[in-house]
Amino acid sequence: MSVILIADDEARIRRLVSDFLKREGHTVLEAGDGEEALRCIHAAQPAVDLAILDVMMPKLDGFALLRVLRAEDATQSLPVMMLTARAEDNDQLLGLETGADDYVTKPFSPLVLVARVRNLLGRVNKKPGGSEIFGPLEINEKRREVKIDGEPIELTPKEYELLIYFKNNKSIALSRESVLNSVWGYDYFGDLRTVDTHVKKLRAKLGACGTMIETVRGYGYRFEG
């Protein structure tokens, strides 16, 4: 699995995040301030695969540390998730413009944070050529191509969009309403049965891989590749 650094001046937050990440099989490093985090990243062997940085840290805050990481050749492409109690849009905009890959606002659900970590690592660990691998299922967004065991499968445009939406929100429970709004659009006048019908057809075309789209009873669906 991956080596992940959690940098936060609150020990309680570090323990909480660390415990959940370790359950996923990750190796977790902890730092209580920005300077310690930078030392950990430089010294880590093997290299850190993802850094989760609190914005309001002493000595070197999250934004300042992010700028340092993006300025260094060895860490300029390191995936970084910002973690903060500040919810202002300007803070999020600054983090993303500075080079953050994701932004999570406190208070947060540890399960959702772990899912977003999984998604972020999945995006940066793509195979050359843009493919993402989920067991026998291969998805290449650049080519708009889906394969199972190396064999292309034919999906309608809407089935493809549905699969991509599930894949991009891996391990997150998605309500039927959110799927309908995201894939069909807010101005779509159909009902929720549209989602169920398309999921049924998509599962059929995916064959055994169709079980990756799990039903969340009374709510919607979750993709577990």
Side-chain angles (χ1 to χ4, degrees):
M1 297 297 285
S2 300
V3 178
I4 300 176
L5 169 75
I6 168 67
D8 194 303
D9 58 335
E10 295 185 59
R12 177 181 58 85
I13 296 294
R14 295 199 307 272
R15 285 196 299 270
L16 177 66
V17 175
S18 178
D19 286 346
F20 275 83
L21 290 174
K22 286 178 179 177
R23 292 177 193 174
E24 290 280 300
H26 299 297
T27 298
V28 181
L29 307 177
E30 297 184 30
D33 60 66
E35 291 183 356
E36 183 183 4
L38 186 59
R39 289 195 298 270
C40 286
I41 292 172
H42 286 161
Q45 295 294 332
V48 172
D49 297 299
L50 169 68
I52 303 174
L53 309 179
D54 180 41
V55 169
M56 301 297 291
M57 289 188 293
K59 298 185 180 180
L60 194 65
D61 67 39
F63 291 142
L65 175 54
L66 179 58
R67 292 190 186 95
V68 172
L69 296 175
R70 291 297 177 250
E72 297 182 351
D73 290 341
T75 57
Q76 63 181 1
S77 61
L78 173 68
V80 173
M81 177 181 292
M82 304 301 290
L83 188 63
T84 178
R86 299 166 65 180
E88 291 85 352
D89 289 342
N90 287 340
D91 286 339
Q92 298 188 37
L93 183 61
L94 177 59
L96 296 172
E97 288 181 343
T98 306
D101 298 281
D102 202 355
Y103 201 103
V104 178
T105 302
K106 302 174 184 176
F108 56 85
S109 162
L111 291 175
V112 171
L113 184 139
V114 168
R116 294 178 72 163
V117 165
R118 190 183 301 124
N119 290 343
L120 180 52
L121 289 171
R123 293 201 302 270
V124 300
N125 290 332
K126 293 181 180 180
K127 286 180 61 178
S131 290
E132 293 177 82
I133 304 298
F134 306 93
L137 176 65
E138 179 180 348
I139 302 172
N140 190 315
E141 289 193 61
K142 290 183 179 179
R143 296 173 57 88
R144 285 185 67 89
E145 190 173 62
V146 178
K147 295 181 179 180
I148 295 178
D149 291 325
E151 294 296 324
I153 63 171
E154 296 296 327
L155 300 178
T156 67
K158 198 58 67 178
E159 289 166 352
Y160 175 81
E161 292 173 26
L162 185 61
L163 178 60
I164 296 302
Y165 182 64
F166 284 141
K167 181 265 297 181
N168 288 343
N169 292 277
K170 184 174 180 287
S171 300
I172 298 175
L174 303 167
S175 69
R176 288 176 173 83
E177 290 87 350
S178 68
V179 175
L180 189 68
N181 291 333
S182 297
V183 177
W184 278 265
Y186 285 92
D187 56 351
Y188 181 72
F189 291 103
D191 59 33
L192 297 180
R193 288 176 295 181
T194 299
V195 176
D196 295 332
T197 299
H198 279 76
V199 168
K200 182 178 180 180
K201 292 179 178 178
L202 177 58
R203 281 171 168 165
K205 289 186 177 182
L206 293 177
C209 293
T211 58
M212 294 180 183
I213 304 174
E214 301 178 352
T215 298
V216 180
R217 189 175 299 277
Y219 186 73
Y221 299 95
R222 179 179 57 239
F223 181 77
E224 291 288 0

